[in-house]
Amino acid sequence: MASPHVVCIDDFRPQARRRLPRPVFDYLDGGADGEVTLRENCRIFDDITFRPRHAVALPDCNLRTRVLGFDVSFPALLAPVGYSRLMHPDGEVGAARAAGLAGTAYILSTISGHRLEDVKAASSGPVCFQLYLMGGRAASEAVIERARVAGCAALVVTIDTPVAGLRERDFRNGMKELMGGSLLDKIPFLPQIVVHPGWVASFLLDGGLSKLPNVVIPGKGPMELVDVSQALASATVTWDDLKWIRNLWPGLIVIKGVLTGDDARRAVDEGAAAVVVSNHGGRQLDGVRPSLRALPEVVAAVNGRVEILMDGGVRRGSDIVKAICLGARAVLCGRAYAYGLAAAGQAGVTRALEILQADVERTLRLLGCPSIAALDRSYVDMPASWQ
Ligand SMILES: Cc1cc2nc3c(=O)[nH]c(=O)nc-3n(C[C@H](O)[C@H](O)[C@H](O)COP(=O)(O)O)c2cc1C
């Protein structure tokens, strides 16, 4: 179980760092290039300050909200996080189960170590599938059909990954060699792994490096991990591909990776049910605006036509409340739960969600606001230049 000393999400980070070998921790923690956007995603929340209404009695405080037609216990969903099974054997199954138990939704990455059917079955809540067009169209068609049959609640199409960003820490730690190189290639990078025998034991007991069970290439079978960067580089999704995806997927489509009003309008015109304002947690194009800063422009462009979600830098319940005040329906949490998963498996995700939910309730009560539905811009001050 997670340590009682974990009182906020940031307390999980050193625990994750201690348990994971450096290449795995840095894969989770790091961002692209100079990590400017990664840092700004978190810092920007400080630019928004609260305007509380004091001396208000709140016998009840309603955190529930509806996202994409389903009820969630509080407005935070679990973002797609690739390779979760490397962080802990509980992986995507444990995270999805924790999400369901907490009354919220889980978004499964294409780059998952567990079969999507097993992840869906593990959760009592909604499970959405995040799509990268990896492995070619036939592989994508097959996984979209599997997601439909399994009953996934929505298809989340990530549009900010025409190539993988340069995560310098991964490069220096030899992630590519460790995931797919020959033994000779791996040798220089192995010392940082063997100093974490606990992780090594759990990793080996879990079967070692698994293939990608949800990227099944016809005639070849599940994709090898070694192919992932290369596969992403030839997996660019375009607005034209969305028409093809639309024909295959009768349900809700969410477009993830929107940072401008123009892209948001385009996504709505293409039939998206929601957009996610996101810069991929600062892992793609470094130097783009932090997500929270892009939110008001997207809110204005969408003008209430579809739901707006946001992610990037959410580490506290007060961050969630600020994003809702600025017009998001809900947020996605990435590292906030992944640090918990890395530190303590499913129990760590459960604890992370408990912390965030309790934070949101406390923030609402301190604001004098009775519900998530009642939050609006009158509860915050934002810099004049944002207007
Ligand atoms: C380790 C890691 C792996 C990720 N893998 C994916 C992925 O496979 N697909 C995707 O759309 N986004 C992926 N993301 C981005 C997250 O879905 C989300 O946009 C981001 O984590 C939000 O920022 P935060 O970590 O500050 O909450 C990943 C993020 C991290 C940290």
Side-chain angles (χ1 to χ4, degrees):
M1 184 46 214
S3 152
H5 301 299
V6 175
V7 290
C8 66
I9 296 297
D10 284 344
D11 291 339
F12 269 127
R13 190 168 170 264
Q15 294 197 1
R17 191 199 284 271
R18 269 195 298 279
R19 191 181 154 269
L20 297 180
R22 185 174 179 156
V24 183
F25 176 77
D26 278 347
Y27 164 72
L28 157 58
D29 191 59
D33 303 286
E35 302 189 340
V36 176
T37 299
L38 171 67
R39 284 190 296 277
E40 275 292 289
N41 268 352
C42 292
R43 194 213 53 80
I44 195 88
F45 283 96
D46 298 346
D47 287 349
I48 303 294
T49 51
F50 285 121
R51 296 174 58 84
R53 296 171 197 176
H54 288 150
V56 176
L58 293 177
D60 293 316
C61 191
N62 186 359
L63 306 192
R64 301 197 75 84
T65 192
R66 276 180 86 72
V67 181
L68 296 166
F70 43 79
D71 269 319
V72 289
S73 56
F74 77 115
L77 283 56
L78 275 62
V81 167
Y83 293 131
S84 290
R85 197 169 175 175
L86 267 189
M87 295 162 203
H88 194 282
D90 289 355
E92 296 83 2
V93 163
R97 191 176 289 125
L101 290 171
T104 190
Y106 176 72
I107 306 175
L108 174 66
S109 166
T110 298
I111 305 176
S112 156
H114 287 284
R115 294 173 64 248
L116 76 85
E117 292 80 0
D118 298 338
V119 175
K120 174 71 181 72
S123 179
S124 53
V127 173
C128 307
F129 184 74
Q130 177 268 324
L131 181 72
Y132 284 136
L133 299 184
M134 285 168 51
R137 285 209 166 194
S140 299
E141 279 170 14
V143 77
I144 292 172
E145 177 60 8
R146 281 173 61 189
R148 190 189 66 75
V149 171
C152 288
L155 195 64
V156 177
V157 181
T158 301
I159 61 166
D160 59 12
T161 317
V163 292
L166 179 66
R167 325 242 167 95
E168 295 181 3
R169 300 196 218 177
D170 291 358
F171 191 80
R172 294 197 182 95
N173 292 332
M175 258 315 243
K176 193 167 142 221
E177 290 79 358
L178 288 166
M179 300 287 268
S182 67
L183 183 60
L184 210 62
D185 295 334
K186 290 188 207 303
I187 284 172
F189 304 105
L190 287 179
Q192 22 174 21
I193 307 286
V194 295
V195 291
H196 290 269
W199 179 89
V200 172
S202 71
F203 172 72
L204 292 177
L205 283 171
D206 193 36
L209 276 185
S210 60
K211 295 184 180 179
L212 295 178
N214 301 318
V215 187
V216 181
I217 302 170
K220 278 177 136 182
M223 180 179 274
E224 304 273 352
L225 287 187
V226 56
D227 292 334
V228 168
S229 303
Q230 206 186 341
L232 277 178
S234 52
T236 311
V237 64
T238 65
W239 297 114
D240 278 343
D241 293 317
L242 271 183
K243 296 186 175 63
W244 162 73
I245 293 169
R246 174 85 277 163
N247 284 332
L248 297 167
W249 177 262
L252 303 175
I253 294 183
V254 178
I255 302 294
K256 175 172 181 281
V258 168
L259 284 173
T260 63
D262 286 342
D263 273 358
R265 270 188 293 267
R266 183 73 197 253
V268 175
D269 292 346
E270 296 292 344
V275 295
V276 186
V277 180
S278 171
N279 50 41
H280 216 109
R283 299 165 74 82
Q284 286 299 110
L285 179 60
D286 197 25
V288 293
R289 289 195 292 182
S291 305
L292 191 74
R293 181 66 188 87
L295 182 59
E297 178 182 326
V298 173
V299 169
V302 166
N303 197 18
R305 286 181 292 164
V306 300
E307 289 175 12
I308 297 170
L309 311 176
M310 72 78 68
D311 72 27
V314 173
R315 302 289 183 271
R316 292 183 182 276
S318 55
D319 298 340
I320 299 174
V321 172
K322 287 176 183 178
I324 308 290
C325 288
L326 264 54
R329 173 63 67 108
V331 305
L332 313 187
C333 297
R335 294 178 184 84
Y337 82 85
Y339 290 133
L341 179 72
Q346 180 185 325
V349 181
T350 294
R351 180 77 188 116
L353 292 172
E354 276 169 11
I355 289 171
L356 291 173
Q357 183 163 5
D359 271 3
V360 170
E361 171 156 3
R362 193 181 332 101
T363 305
L364 281 188
R365 288 185 179 280
L366 288 168
L367 274 177
C369 179
S371 66
I372 292 293
L375 286 171
D376 61 23
R377 284 202 188 173
S378 67
Y379 285 97
V380 289
D381 272 325
M382 61 181 192
S385 59
W386 288 37
Q387 302 285 350

